[in-house]
Amino acid sequence: MILRSVKWLLITLAIIVVLLVVSVATITVLAVQKTPLVASTAPTQLDGADSVNELLGQLQQAFSRREEGHQVTLTETQVESLVGVLQRALPDFKGVVNITPLAGTINVTYAINNTGYYVNASALVLPGDSLRIEQVQVGDLTIPGRFLLGFLERTVNSYTQSEIATIALSRVERVTMRSGELTLDVGRLDELLSELNVVASNMSVSEQTELQQLSAYYLRYLSGREIALSNKPVSLIEYLREGMARAREQSQTPEEAVLHNNAVILALAVYVGHHRVGTLVGDIQPDSEKALKPRRGAVLHKRNDLARHFIISAALELLAEQGMSLAIGEFKELMDRGNGGSGYSFVDLAADMSGTEFAKVATHPNTAMEVQNAIARIQSELEIIPPIDGLPEGLSKQAFTEQYQRVDSEAYLKEVEEIKGRIRLLPLYQKEAVRRESAP
């Protein structure tokens, strides 16, 4: 009798497994397609990057005046610019938005590892007194929008151990659409922002990771050095020399060198880059109410902005997906073309790209200890950033468009290649180039 029961139990489990496999296979076949739904290109979408400044201004006002209701207007250009920067960092991803008075559609395509297959998805958003997603299409699968929205709400609430998703959805009091434009009537945000603190508390880790501990250590160490008290701007290489010399003393193996170099870069990004980078690193400030900073900012080529571009890009390279730091830097420059911005700067882009290369070579096991030795005795800024003479900057949107059209034009790519060529000449980064060439 027992053997018969066990037999039927095994048969039942086998049937369930087969059904699950068939279901997953069926869903996969329905979701994956051979033709991409979206063929938009990032350069075209990024042409409107400067329009995002207006959106950021609206959001800043809504957050600062959190006890009032607000209207936030998003245009197709703004949304597609944000999609464009994501596509710039993740080339296999493409997206496009279309907004009409009757509805808004969001279409995305993800190419699966150059297999010739794609995951296509689209969502139909309707105007109304709340956020209404009519339906979502994934390949040949159709999912009711209300079901998906409810599932996402429960999932986010459960993951964050809060009511953050429910509160966020309740803040959307009305959605109206015009051709190329969507407007959200948003209720007061004080409760939502308070709930964000709850989320931060629920998701915080009571013990710091080893990288966070070391980053906090190097932040305190560098802030206590004599150069931090200088009344005159100090070259970034002085801070790097101090940090890498200390890292060299603490590193006995290549793996330890990688860890300590990571920590030095992140600490400097917080200290001389911008204290808000610390929110990406973790709780590393000795006093959470007063961020540490030098008496005068660090400089490269006698410019504070270049030092900040360099070290923040280096940190982003460590914290983000490969390629994301350059995409963010490029997007920031495109935003600066608008009125009130500093204009597109290939000089800033050179600092971004140099910082990215520095992060790569400083945190690879094959070169981390060499970088510690090289930086500990560094004598010139030109060892980490190339000359910037002749690189255009301060270009308005009109001037940029007249000279370069878009970021995939031959003229634009020629300027980028010029920067890459200058960086490749630096001995420090030739180590990284050799490593990449020898990689399988």
Side-chain angles (χ1 to χ4, degrees), residues 84-294:
V85 70
L86 182 59
Q87 183 181 335
R88 197 74 169 161
L90 304 172
D92 291 332
F93 171 86
K94 295 180 185 296
V96 67
V97 177
N98 183 43
I99 304 173
T100 72
L102 298 178
T105 57
I106 305 168
N107 298 321
V108 298
T109 290
Y110 184 80
I112 305 175
N113 295 328
N114 298 318
T115 60
Y117 289 94
Y118 305 87
V119 175
N120 295 316
S122 62
L124 178 65
V125 182
L126 300 179
D129 294 332
S130 62
L131 180 59
R132 294 177 56 198
I133 300 178
E134 182 67 14
Q135 68 178 31
V136 176
Q137 191 85 16
V138 182
D140 293 326
L141 292 173
T142 300
I143 305 171
R146 182 177 298 179
F147 170 81
L148 181 62
L149 204 57
F151 173 77
L152 292 175
E153 179 183 348
R154 291 189 296 272
T155 301
V156 172
N157 285 346
S158 175
Y159 180 74
T160 60
Q161 303 173 53
S162 70
E163 295 296 317
I164 187 69
T166 302
I167 296 173
L169 289 172
S170 70
R171 298 303 89 184
V172 181
E173 298 177 345
R174 187 168 183 78
V175 178
T176 55
M177 298 179 185
R178 296 188 296 177
S179 181
E181 187 175 282
L182 178 148
T183 299
L184 300 174
D185 284 13
V186 180
R188 50 189 298 169
L189 298 178
D190 48 347
E191 183 182 2
L192 176 62
L193 296 177
S194 296
E195 192 69 7
L196 281 173
N197 293 330
V198 174
V199 172
S201 176
N202 290 342
M203 301 187 70
S204 64
V205 179
S206 57
E207 294 185 2
Q208 287 184 316
T209 65
E210 186 175 9
L211 179 58
Q212 287 175 325
Q213 291 175 341
L214 282 175
S215 298
Y217 165 76
Y218 282 109
L219 177 60
R220 294 192 302 271
Y221 177 79
L222 291 164
S223 66
R225 310 306 292 170
E226 186 177 349
I227 55 175
L229 302 176
S230 173
N231 289 317
K232 297 181 180 180
V234 176
S235 173
L236 181 62
I237 65 170
E238 299 293 336
Y239 286 100
L240 284 171
R241 184 189 293 121
E242 294 276 2
M244 288 297 175
R246 185 61 173 165
R248 183 174 58 175
E249 295 173 0
Q250 304 294 315
S251 304
Q252 303 301 318
T253 66
E255 291 71 26
E256 289 180 346
V258 168
L259 180 62
H260 282 268
N261 291 359
N262 264 279
V264 170
I265 291 171
L266 294 177
L268 280 174
V270 172
Y271 189 55
V272 301
H274 198 291
H275 68 90
R276 293 193 183 279
V277 176
T279 60
L280 303 176
V281 181
D283 185 16
I284 66 173
Q285 291 284 356
D287 183 353
S288 59
E289 300 297 323
K290 187 177 181 181
L292 291 175
K293 61 180 181 179

Side-chain angles (χ1 to χ4, degrees), residues 306-382:
L306 297 187
R308 296 174 69 180
H309 272 274
F310 181 99
I311 199 62
I312 291 176
S313 291
L316 288 175
E317 180 64 25
L318 304 182
L319 295 169
E321 292 287 336
Q322 185 176 10
M324 183 63 78
S325 55
L326 176 59
I328 292 173
E330 187 177 63
F331 186 67
K332 191 267 181 187
E333 294 306 319
L334 289 167
M335 288 175 62
D336 281 345
R337 299 176 308 174
N339 293 332
S342 57
Y344 195 99
S345 172
F346 285 99
V347 173
D348 289 352
L349 195 60
D352 292 332
M353 294 168 67
S354 298
T356 298
E357 288 300 307
F358 179 79
K360 290 177 181 177
V361 74
T363 59
H364 191 275
N366 292 348
T367 53
M369 299 187 85
E370 292 182 62
V371 171
Q372 288 179 347
N373 292 328
I375 298 301
R377 57 175 183 266
I378 191 171
Q379 297 297 319
S380 169
E381 294 179 346
L382 295 178

Side-chain angles (χ1 to χ4, degrees), residues 413-427:
L413 294 177
K414 183 178 179 180
E415 293 288 0
V416 173
E417 188 55 40
E418 169 66 22
I419 295 171
K420 289 180 178 179
R422 295 186 187 193
I423 291 174
R424 282 194 294 266
L425 292 176
L426 304 186

